[in-house]
Amino acid sequence: QVQLVESGGGLVQAGGSLRLSCAASGSISSINHMGWYRQAPGKQRDLVATITSGSVTTYADSVKGRFTISRDNAKNTVYLQMNSLKPEDTAVYYCGARIITRWGTASDYWGQGTQVTVSS
């Protein structure tokens, strides 16, 4: 009923930039907050950045000053601008959202992930 589709991942050299996008679609009434998370091989999934419907943001310490999260509420889309990328940023990046459906229930949804690879 609800799906999140990510795009924008790829291969980039250290110091480069990428912009990730995630669009939510389906039986959506509203989206309380959206976020980006990442998981490197053999590691747990970690929070990267979140943004509320009022555009209040939070960031992991490791990405502050380099990444910027934003959203377009009209399009149910969240973005992650990643600058000054480092090899340690290499991971699968997942879009997540807390969504209120048209039936009034709140649930968390995840995208399938997009690979970001930063070469040395």
Side-chain angles (χ1 to χ4, degrees), residues 19-35:
R19 190 188 192 215
L20 307 183
S21 298
C22 172
S25 62
S27 301
I28 298 170
S29 178
S30 63
I31 303 177
N32 288 342
H33 58 259
M34 306 182 77

Side-chain angles (χ1 to χ4, degrees), residues 2-7 21-23 36-37 39 45 91-96 109-115:
V2 175
Q3 67 174 21
L4 307 179
V5 179
E6 300 113 329
S7 63
S21 298
C22 172
W36 290 95
Y37 305 77
Q39 187 169 20
R45 187 175 299 184
V92 177
Y93 283 69
Y94 296 90
C95 175
Y109 294 88
W110 295 94
Q112 291 300 115
T114 184
Q115 177 70 48

Side-chain angles (χ1 to χ4, degrees), residues 18 21 24 33 48-49 56 61 68 85 92 94 110 120:
L18 287 172
S21 298
H33 58 259
V48 177
V56 177
D61 289 340
T68 302
L85 284 162
V92 177
Y94 296 90
W110 295 94
S120 301

Side-chain angles (χ1 to χ4, degrees), residues 49-111:
T50 62
I51 184 168
T52 70
S53 60
S55 297
V56 177
T57 60
T58 60
Y59 295 92
D61 289 340
S62 60
V63 306
K64 285 183 178 178
R66 299 188 298 120
F67 292 8
T68 302
I69 189 170
S70 61
R71 65 187 288 170
D72 185 336
N73 290 333
K75 297 181 178 180
N76 288 333
T77 300
V78 63
Y79 306 93
L80 185 68
Q81 179 67 47
M82 304 185 293
N83 298 326
S84 301
L85 284 162
K86 304 175 181 179
E88 50 263 45
D89 295 319
T90 296
V92 177
Y93 283 69
Y94 296 90
C95 175
R98 178 158 293 175
I99 296 174
I100 310 298
T101 70
R102 295 178 181 176
W103 291 269
T105 58
S107 300
D108 294 336
Y109 294 88
W110 295 94

